[in-house]
Amino acid sequence: MGENVAMNPERFAALADAYGAQIARWPDAERAAAAAIAETAQGKEILRRADKLDALLDSHRVAPPSANLRAQVLRQATEKFKKKRVVRWRIGLAGVGFAGVIVGMIMATLLAPSVYFSLSHNTPGAETTAFGDIASGSMSLEEED
Amino acid sequence: MDPDPDEDLVRRVASGDEAAIQSLIGRKLPRVLSLATRMLGDPAEAEDVAQDVFLRVWRNAARWQSRTARFDTWLHRVALNLCYDRLRRRKETPSDATLELVDSPGVDLAQSEDASHRVEQALQGIAERQREAIILTYYQGLSNIEAAAVMEVSVDALESLLARGRRALRAILAKDTDNG
C-alpha cells in the first residue's frame, strides 16, 4: 500500500491503527500527506488514541545481552573459524605436497643420466635375446614351410 | 535494492576477521535477542535462539550473497524460524515453565517493571503472526517493506496484521487495567 492510496481521514486512521502515533514510523510515501491531516482536530484525536497504546508498548523493556552470552557467541565464532583455518591449512599442505611430487618427477626426468637402450637395427646385437636371435629364428621357420 | 549496509562487514566476517566478528556481535546480538525475547516471552529460550542464529551466521557468512536479500532481513528470518520451531514444540508439549510464564502476574515489581510485565503478557496473548508484525515494525524498527519481506506477505497483509494486533493488545491491556 502507500503511493497509490489517497490520503484522507480514513486512511490516516488506518495508518495510525497499524503503525502507531509517530508519523516517522509510517510508510515514506504517505508521511507528507499525513502531516497535513495530523494538524486537524480529527487527526490529533486519532493520534492521541494511538499514542496511548504506544506509551504502553514503549514501557516494555528487554534486558541487553549478558557478558556471558556475548562471550559464548564469540567463542562459537572463534572455534568455527579456527576449524576453517585448520581445514584450509591442511588443504594447503596437501597442495604443497602434491606440487612437490610433481616437481620431483620433473626433476628426476631432467637430471637422470642419458643412458637408454635402443632396439634399433643399427645397434649390434639388438635382435639377440636370452632365447637367441629372434629375427634369424623366424626366418628359418618360414623357410621350413 | 539499496546497498546492504552490512555487506562489507559480513564479507570480513567470512574471512575470519576477529574485529569484524566482534563488531557484528555488537551490532546484531542485541537485535536478535530482543526479537527472540519478545516472540518467546522467555529470556533463557531467547538466549538459546540467539546462539543458534549466530551459529548459522558463522556457518553461512562465506556463502552470503547480498543480491538475494539484505543481511538484516535474512537474520530476522532465521531468528523467527527458530522462534517458531520453539513455539511449535511448546504447543506439542506444554511445559511448566510456559504455564508459569502466562500465569505469573503477582510478582512484586516496581511500577515501570509492572507495566513492562503487563505488555509482555499482552504480547504473548495475541496471535503469533500479529505479534511478529508488531515486533518487526514497532520494536525492531523495520520499514513496512522490510517487515513484509521478512514475513513473506504483502504490505497490505502486514498492515492488516498490525492493526488487528494493536487492537487485540489494546483490548487485553484495557481489561488488565479494569481488573487491576
Side-chain angles (χ1 to χ4, degrees):
Chain A
M1 233 187 249
E3 283 168 73
N4 300 325
V5 179
M7 183 54 64
N8 52 40
E10 288 72 35
R11 177 64 186 152
F12 186 89
L15 287 167
D17 271 351
Y19 300 101
Q22 288 179 42
I23 293 178
R25 292 175 182 272
W26 294 13
D28 281 351
E30 296 181 272
R31 282 183 209 160
I37 296 185
E39 295 303 315
T40 65
Q42 191 181 7
K44 282 180 183 162
E45 177 54 25
I46 290 168
L47 294 182
R48 192 191 60 77
R49 268 186 281 132
D51 191 49
K52 278 173 76 177
L53 182 61
D54 286 359
L56 282 167
L57 291 179
D58 289 343
S59 73
H60 189 230
R61 297 270 178 264
V62 170
S66 64
N68 188 39
L69 178 63
R70 282 177 187 275
Q72 191 76 19
V73 171
L74 183 61
R75 194 158 42 241
Q76 286 175 349
T78 310
E79 282 168 14
K80 190 80 199 164
F81 287 106
K82 196 164 76 184
K83 269 186 204 164
K84 278 186 182 173
R85 271 195 291 273
V86 168
V87 169
R88 272 202 293 265
W89 185 78
R90 282 184 182 159
I91 290 171
L93 199 65
V96 168
F98 182 69
V101 170
I102 298 293
V103 168
M105 285 167 70
I106 292 167
M107 293 303 280
T109 310
L110 293 175
L111 299 177
S114 55
V115 176
Y116 59 93
F117 298 99
S118 170
L119 291 175
S120 80
H121 288 284
N122 300 329
T123 308
E127 288 155 354
T128 308
T129 73
F131 302 100
D133 190 338
I134 299 168
S136 58
S138 58
M139 285 285 283
S140 62
L141 282 171
E142 277 167 23
E143 280 168 9
E144 279 172 18
D145 288 338
Chain B
M1 197 165 69
D2 294 336
D4 188 337
D6 297 317
E7 189 179 349
D8 181 53
L9 186 61
V10 176
R11 196 176 304 124
R12 282 166 50 217
V13 165
S15 68
D17 179 337
E18 199 167 317
I21 290 169
Q22 298 249 25
S23 173
L24 191 79
I25 293 172
R27 198 188 285 186
K28 301 295 180 185
L29 181 59
R31 281 173 71 67
V32 170
L33 187 67
S34 61
L35 171 70
T37 305
R38 289 190 167 110
M39 271 310 285
L40 299 170
D42 181 336
E45 266 198 293
E47 286 204 350
D48 291 345
V49 165
Q51 287 192 38
D52 286 350
V53 169
F54 276 88
L55 265 180
R56 282 160 173 78
V57 171
W58 312 138
R59 205 178 295 151
N60 293 298
R63 286 195 293 273
W64 170 251
Q65 290 185 323
S66 61
R67 279 166 285 137
T68 47
R70 277 170 176 259
F71 177 74
D72 199 57
T73 306
W74 175 81
L75 194 72
H76 276 80
R77 190 64 261 159
V78 170
L80 284 166
N81 284 342
L82 291 167
C83 288
Y84 276 111
D85 285 347
R86 283 171 184 265
L87 291 169
R88 244 192 315 275
R89 256 179 272 155
R90 269 190 207 170
K91 281 177 196 157
E92 285 161 12
T93 51
S95 67
D96 291 347
T98 317
L99 295 173
E100 197 180 304
L101 185 79
V102 176
D103 298 333
S104 61
V107 196
D108 185 22
L109 298 161
Q111 200 177 354
S112 62
E113 284 178 337
D114 186 41
S116 177
H117 187 70
R118 280 172 54 212
V119 174
E120 185 178 307
Q121 298 240 319
L123 280 170
Q124 296 308 309
I126 65 174
E128 286 163 5
R129 292 288 275 176
Q130 295 171 8
R131 179 159 77 241
E132 182 183 345
I134 289 172
I135 292 169
L136 291 177
T137 56
Y138 198 86
Y139 291 112
Q140 300 294 109
L142 265 58
S143 73
N144 58 343
I145 294 167
E146 288 167 336
V150 171
M151 295 184 72
E152 295 169 337
V153 295
S154 66
V155 172
D156 281 358
L158 172 79
E159 284 187 4
S160 169
L161 285 165
L162 285 169
R164 282 185 285 139
R166 283 177 65 96
R167 226 171 289 143
L169 281 176
R170 200 177 284 127
I172 293 171
L173 291 165
K175 200 164 63 183
D176 201 21
T177 308
D178 292 345
N179 293 340

